């Protein structure tokens, strides 16, 4: 096996021979293509009707090369990573099955089958072949979450569905537009089997226009720079990723490394928990990731497909080894995923249903962090909040109007872990999602709900020289009767594990608080508050019902649908992010600032960091100060 | 009643012969997913050298009934 020549070291003539243009031109074309996918994204964002597109940015765009070059995914938009990671394979699998010879200019091929293309049935791939000189030279693609794809649960977000038939409509590769004319039978297939088609239709039309825009921008590049330079640039982009990832892998000591991550339960009962086990075997510039020993596929749709596991591997290694590696097909060139079929992260149809796919593939990311963090030392990255703790609700207002609230009022957003660069962010999405946060005004406009709290919870960032991000505490007051589907999957053991000696962030939980007098007043946050709650999920003290790592596990699907009366409050507390480095090495001034900003309490500063802070953070925050002598004495005793 | 299920393990079929790169007699055949999709590989289990690497079924272990049409 000969190692390829390094891109920086080949001569200009060699570069031109390999890539059909000079280096400068390739760089220009690549930037113009990145502009193209962002331009497509911006256009869709501006026009979308579906809240999950408009408020969450739940879509992504890519450009792939032609069949004879293996459909290389060379350009990706700055958006949802789980979509990007699977789109390369999704385009290849869909086009190969449909037959590239059956495609014509102006076609839009769609597919939403998780086993063919990854993610879940709500995520429809839209693939448009671009022709030049009478043959396909590229594909411009978008994957966009559709608000509903049928199945037994409105909106689909639930762990309670048992197989692909309950899960929703599965669309194999079929044309949605043929030569830019809508294929009515395909539209009818979708509208007859999904809810809220009126919202899907204008989004489909917008996607069609964005794909035409992408096609136009690609063709402008081909016209200006020539086909050879265009196709060569796609190869160059993937080669760049491959080289950078090879270099990053080479810095890891050779060896076999094992890790694991736990998912609490599926949606059937709480008798089975699910473990992702990973063995990374690293030799030179190659890594093989074996998922043998992972739990069998779940009995409900908390599984993911192997393409999602592959994405998770790419994301984890990119984040840990070199976050600057461009995310293309080339990312995986020296990475092999070896997995037995029929596991939680390589499930098979029809029983291994796939809906909450990112929860399972997120556990793959966690397991890889668990395996490599001890090897990486200071380059280690602490864990994030682990689960989007997804909440969906629906109902009918007193006036008879149906409403739905999708992925807005649970623990969807939360913290990251700390790194050698600094503290973890406190309100973002899981490591491999990269979405927006819906605006409170929009949430309250679309559903009968009042957002009472959306704030950082104190003392929830894992302690370290750099602190983990703070858990998010969210309280929502439901004005109408509602049916809730809740899906928190990582409450038994910390997901926000520490790195390089940092401490783990504590775990979160979910509770309902029945209607009460003065319901519009805020609930408190002290431990006493929880006694009046109905726990949904988490490991809680059996008496107080407050979080307690030694307490009792509450199973999130003990009621598959949580029905609530008007005036009920839902509280979601996410897991905390992990800390990086020795907490006693944290600069006391940083601890003081944390107390000032309510990330850390006065008690927590002493307990977790050995820093004695004097003063009242609530009534005299500017008067806070460090007792230097007491701090030195306290740290010396540790 | 708890259902006891074995955790699946990837089957790696032994292949005769030494690794041409490191000499170890540890060649195995098994499927992997990588850049370009699924492959059946014959790899050295000691140094990870791929002695053979052939494209496999498009969806790996999943067979579509429609493929039999």
């Amino acid at each position: 096996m000969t190692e390829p020549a390094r891109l920086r070291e080949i001569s200009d003539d060699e570069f031109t021979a390999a890539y059909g243009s000079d280096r400068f031109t390739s760089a220009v074309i690549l930037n113009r293509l990145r502009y193209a996918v962002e331009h497509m994204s911006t256009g869709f964002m501006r026009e979308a009707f579906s809240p999950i597109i408009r408020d969450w940015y739940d879509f992504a765009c890519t450009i792939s090369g032609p069949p004879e070059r293996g459909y290389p995914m060379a350009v990706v938009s700055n958006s949802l990573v789980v979509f990007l990671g699977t789109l390369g394979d999704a385009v290849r699998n869909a086009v190969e099955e449909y037959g590239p010879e059956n495609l014509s200019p102006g076609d839009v091929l769609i597919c939403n089958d998780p086993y063919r293309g990854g993610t879940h049935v709500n995520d429809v791939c839209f693939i448009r072949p671009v022709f030049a000189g009478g043959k396909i030279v590229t594909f411009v693609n978008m994957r966009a979450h559709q608000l509903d794809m049928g199945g037994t649960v409105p909106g689909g977000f639930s762990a309670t569905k048992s197989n692909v038939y309950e899960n929703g409509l599965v669309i194999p590769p079929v044309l949605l537009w043929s030569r830019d004319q809508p294929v009515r039978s395909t539209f009818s297939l979708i509208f007859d089997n999904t809810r809220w088609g009126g919202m899907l239709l204008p989004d489909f039309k917008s996607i069609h226009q964005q794909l035409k825009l992408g096609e136009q921008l690609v063709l402008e590049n081909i016209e200006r720079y020539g086909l050879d330079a265009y196709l060569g640039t796609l190869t160059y982009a993937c080669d760049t990723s491959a080289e950078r990832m090879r270099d990053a892998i080479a810095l890891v000591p050779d060896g076999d490394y094992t890790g694991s991550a736990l998912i609490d339960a599926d949606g059937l009962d709480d008798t089975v928990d699910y473990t992702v086990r990973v063995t990374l075997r690293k030799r030179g510039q190659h890594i093989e990731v074996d998922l043998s020993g992972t739990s069998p596929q779940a009995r409900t749709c908390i599984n993911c497909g192997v393409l999602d596991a592959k994405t998770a591997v790419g994301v984890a290694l990119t984040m840990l080894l070199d976050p600057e590696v461009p995310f293309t097909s080339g990312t995986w060139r020296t990475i092999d995923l070896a997995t037995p079929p029929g596991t939680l992260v390589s499930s098979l149809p029809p029983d291994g249903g796939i809906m909450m796919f990112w929860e399972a593939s997120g556990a793959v990311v966690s397991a890889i962090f668990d395996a490599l963090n001890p090897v990486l030392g200071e380059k280690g990255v602490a864990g994030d909040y682990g689960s989007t703790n997804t909440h969906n609700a629906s109902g009918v207002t007193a006036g008879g109007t149906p409403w739905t609230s999708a992925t807005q009022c649970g623990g969807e957003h939360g913290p990251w872990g700390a790194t050698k660069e600094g503290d973890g962010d406190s309100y973002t999405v899981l490591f491999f999602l990269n979405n927006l946060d819906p605006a409170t005004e929009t949430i309250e406009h679309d559903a009968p709900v009042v957002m009472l709290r959306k704030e950082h919870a104190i003392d929830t960032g894992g302690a370290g020289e750099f602190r983990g991000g703070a858990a998010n505490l969210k309280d929502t007051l439901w004005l109408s009767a509602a049916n809730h589907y809740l899906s928190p999957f990582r409450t038994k053991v910390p997901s926000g594990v520490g790195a390089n000696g940092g401490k783990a962030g504590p775990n979160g939980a979910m509770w309902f608080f029945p209607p009460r007098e003065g319901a519009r007043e805020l609930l408190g946050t002290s431990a006493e508050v929880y006694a009046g709650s109905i726990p949904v999920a988490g490991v809680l003290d059996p008496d107080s019902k407050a979080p307690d790592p030694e307490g009792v596990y509450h199973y999130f699907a003990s009621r598959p649908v949580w029905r609530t009366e008007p005036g009920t409050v839902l509280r979601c507390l996410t897991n905390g992010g992990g800390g990086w480095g020795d907490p006693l090495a944290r600069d006391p001034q940083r601890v003081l600032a944390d107390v000032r900003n309510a990330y850390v309490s006065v008690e927590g500063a002493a307990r977790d960091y050995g820093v004695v802070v004097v003063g009242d953070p609530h009534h005299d925050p500017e008067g806070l100060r460090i007792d230097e002598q007491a701090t030195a004495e306290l740290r010396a005793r540790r | 009643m708890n259902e006891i299920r074995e955790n699946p393990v990837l089957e790696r079929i032994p292949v005769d012969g030494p690794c041409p790169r490191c000499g170890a007699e540890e060649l195995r055949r098994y499927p992997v997913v990588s850049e370009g999709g699924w492959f059946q590989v014959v790899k050295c289990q000691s140094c990870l050298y791929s002695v053979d690497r052939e494209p496999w079924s498009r969806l790996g272990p999943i067979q579509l009934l429609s493929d039999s049409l």
Side-chain angles (χ1 to χ4, degrees):
Chain A
M1 186 162 21
T2 354
E3 299 299 345
R6 298 188 61 75
L7 291 171
R8 284 180 185 276
E9 293 167 2
I10 61 176
S11 69
D12 289 346
D13 288 345
E14 289 170 328
F15 188 98
T16 301
Y19 299 116
S21 74
D22 60 85
R23 294 177 197 271
F24 179 78
T25 304
S26 281
V28 169
I29 295 172
L30 188 52
N31 279 317
R32 287 169 63 99
L33 295 177
R34 287 173 178 155
Y35 160 83
V37 291
E38 295 306 333
H39 203 6
M40 293 165 65
S41 301
T42 305
F44 187 42
M45 184 77 172
R46 185 182 66 242
E47 296 177 352
F49 280 66
S50 293
I52 201 151
I53 303 294
R54 180 194 67 202
D55 300 339
W56 260 90
Y57 213 97
D58 205 343
F59 66 96
C61 301
T62 64
I63 295 174
S64 291
E68 66 273 16
R69 295 192 178 216
Y71 304 87
M73 181 185 71
V75 184
V76 305
S77 60
N78 179 18
S79 49
L80 191 48
V81 186
V82 290
F83 284 10
L84 302 173
T86 45
L87 259 168
D89 294 291
V91 170
R92 183 191 326 101
N93 290 342
V95 173
E96 284 291 294
E97 183 178 337
Y98 188 81
E101 70 279 8
N102 298 319
L103 291 170
S104 302
D107 287 353
V108 175
L109 187 69
I110 62 168
C111 179
N112 77 337
D113 178 12
Y115 305 98
R116 288 172 167 101
T119 70
H120 56 193
V121 291
N122 290 64
D123 301 330
V124 180
C125 292
F126 300 82
I127 302 161
R128 185 174 177 93
V130 178
F131 286 74
K135 61 182 293 193
I136 296 173
V137 295
T138 212
F139 296 90
V140 289
N141 318 297
M142 182 182 288
R143 191 199 297 265
H145 184 112
Q146 307 306 316
L147 208 53
D148 185 84
M149 232 350 110
T152 56
V153 176
F157 287 112
S158 166
T160 58
K161 299 177 288 183
S162 297
N163 51 50
V164 298
Y165 311 112
E166 293 180 7
N167 205 29
L169 176 65
V170 176
I171 309 171
V174 293
L175 290 186
L176 189 62
W177 268 269
S178 175
R179 297 178 184 271
D180 282 326
Q181 296 301 309
V183 179
R184 181 167 175 164
S185 56
T186 307
F187 277 90
S188 293
L189 172 76
I190 296 171
F191 296 154
D192 292 355
N193 289 283
T194 59
R195 305 166 181 90
W196 313 316
M199 200 135 38
L200 271 54
L201 176 57
D203 286 356
F204 283 2
K205 289 181 176 176
S206 177
I207 290 167
H208 180 221
Q209 294 306 312
Q210 306 321 320
L211 293 174
K212 287 175 74 171
L213 171 65
E215 176 187 44
Q216 175 194 327
L217 294 172
V218 164
L219 289 174
E220 284 177 6
N221 278 282
I222 292 173
E223 186 176 343
R224 176 176 293 203
Y225 300 102
L227 184 58
D228 286 348
Y230 174 79
L231 293 176
T233 296
L234 301 186
T235 305
Y236 167 65
C238 294
D239 287 355
T240 302
S241 297
E243 180 173 290
R244 286 200 67 143
M245 183 54 89
R246 279 199 308 270
D247 288 350
I249 290 172
L251 296 176
V252 180
D254 282 5
D256 294 359
Y257 307 110
T258 60
S260 65
L262 184 78
I263 286 183
D264 292 352
D266 59 26
L268 185 65
D269 59 46
D270 62 352
T271 63
V272 182
D273 53 21
Y274 292 87
T275 304
V276 170
R277 290 196 175 82
V278 64
T279 300
L280 289 105
R281 308 179 68 234
K282 188 270 171 182
R283 305 287 188 276
Q285 297 179 324
H286 294 260
I287 283 186
E288 185 174 281
V289 180
D290 190 344
L291 297 169
S292 289
T294 294
S295 298
Q297 63 189 31
R299 303 163 301 177
T300 65
C301 57
I302 66 169
N303 304 290
C304 74
V306 69
L307 297 180
D308 302 300
K310 177 184 168 185
T311 299
V313 169
V315 170
L317 295 179
T318 298
M319 288 193 69
L320 289 173
L321 305 184
D322 182 0
E324 301 298 321
V325 175
F327 206 55
T328 73
S329 296
T331 296
W332 287 272
R333 190 164 299 169
T334 56
I335 300 169
D336 278 345
L337 175 58
T339 177
T343 74
L344 175 72
V345 293
S346 58
S347 75
L348 301 173
D351 294 328
I354 294 173
M355 181 64 205
M356 316 302 282
F357 71 92
W358 68 95
E359 303 281 351
S361 61
V364 175
V365 175
S366 296
I368 292 174
F369 275 42
D370 185 42
L372 285 184
N373 265 344
V375 187
L376 295 176
E378 70 170 18
K379 282 190 69 178
V381 176
D384 64 6
Y385 65 110
S387 170
T388 54
N389 309 290
T390 304
H391 169 269
N392 263 28
S394 54
V396 180
T397 64
T401 305
W403 59 268
T404 185
S405 172
T407 63
Q408 296 171 322
C409 295
E412 289 85 1
H413 293 67
W416 280 18
T419 71
K420 64 181 171 59
E421 306 296 342
D423 296 343
D425 286 344
S426 290
Y427 192 73
T428 178
V429 281
L430 295 175
F431 280 144
F432 61 2
L433 292 183
N434 192 21
N435 302 104
L436 300 177
D437 177 40
T440 298
E441 292 79 1
T442 300
I443 295 168
E444 295 183 346
H445 175 270
D446 292 348
V449 63
V450 179
M451 186 75 71
L452 299 175
R453 286 183 189 273
K454 190 165 79 173
E455 63 188 31
H456 301 334
I458 198 165
D459 287 333
T460 55
E465 181 177 348
F466 292 120
R467 174 182 46 73
N472 184 253
L473 178 67
K474 191 183 288 180
D475 285 351
T476 46
L477 168 64
W478 297 86
L479 303 176
S480 297
N483 293 328
H484 304 262
Y485 295 85
L486 294 156
S487 304
F489 292 132
R490 304 280 298 275
T491 67
K492 284 185 178 174
V493 297
S495 62
V497 295
N500 196 36
K503 305 300 180 190
N507 278 353
M510 288 187 180
W511 305 261
F512 279 115
F513 292 83
R516 61 199 168 91
E517 290 296 319
R520 284 179 182 270
E521 293 173 8
L522 285 177
L523 279 167
T525 56
S526 60
E528 298 76 39
V529 170
Y530 297 98
S533 71
I534 301 168
V536 173
V539 179
L540 309 176
D541 181 278
D543 298 321
S544 72
K545 304 178 190 175
D548 176 2
E550 306 302 318
V552 177
Y553 170 65
H554 291 262
Y555 172 49
F556 67 90
S558 59
R559 300 180 200 176
V561 183
W562 293 80
R563 303 182 196 283
T564 60
E565 297 300 313
T568 299
V569 171
L570 169 65
R571 169 167 290 180
C572 297
L573 175 67
T574 73
N575 296 352
W580 182 97
D582 180 3
L584 297 183
R586 186 167 177 80
D587 182 346
Q589 290 301 321
R590 283 181 175 268
V591 178
L592 180 67
D594 281 346
V595 174
R596 166 71 176 80
N597 293 321
Y599 283 105
V600 174
S601 65
V602 170
E603 298 74 21
R607 180 188 63 233
D608 299 332
Y609 295 97
V611 175
V612 178
V613 176
V614 179
D616 184 341
H618 298 293
H619 299 101
D620 184 21
E622 303 305 325
L624 290 171
R625 65 178 182 83
I626 296 171
D627 184 328
E628 304 282 357
Q629 185 175 345
T631 296
E633 290 171 3
L634 184 56
R635 286 191 159 184
R637 289 202 297 270
R638 300 287 174 87
Chain B
M1 192 77 176
N2 288 2
E3 183 185 357
I4 299 172
R5 300 185 295 175
E6 300 260 329
N7 289 4
V9 173
L10 179 67
E11 184 181 9
R12 296 171 185 244
I13 301 168
V15 173
D16 290 337
C19 170
R21 183 161 71 180
C22 74
E25 301 249 0
E26 290 187 62
L27 301 181
R28 297 282 188 280
R29 180 187 304 280
Y30 50 96
V32 300
V33 195
S34 185
E35 180 185 22
W38 284 94
F39 297 86
Q40 279 285 357
V41 297
V42 175
K43 283 176 76 170
C44 174
Q45 301 303 284
S46 178
C47 74
L48 298 185
Y49 177 71
S50 289
V51 175
D52 191 31
R53 202 172 177 87
E54 296 293 328
W56 194 37
S57 157
R58 194 169 57 249
L59 305 183
I62 297 174
Q63 299 293 313
L64 300 174
L65 187 56
S66 55
D67 283 340
S68 66
L69 291 174

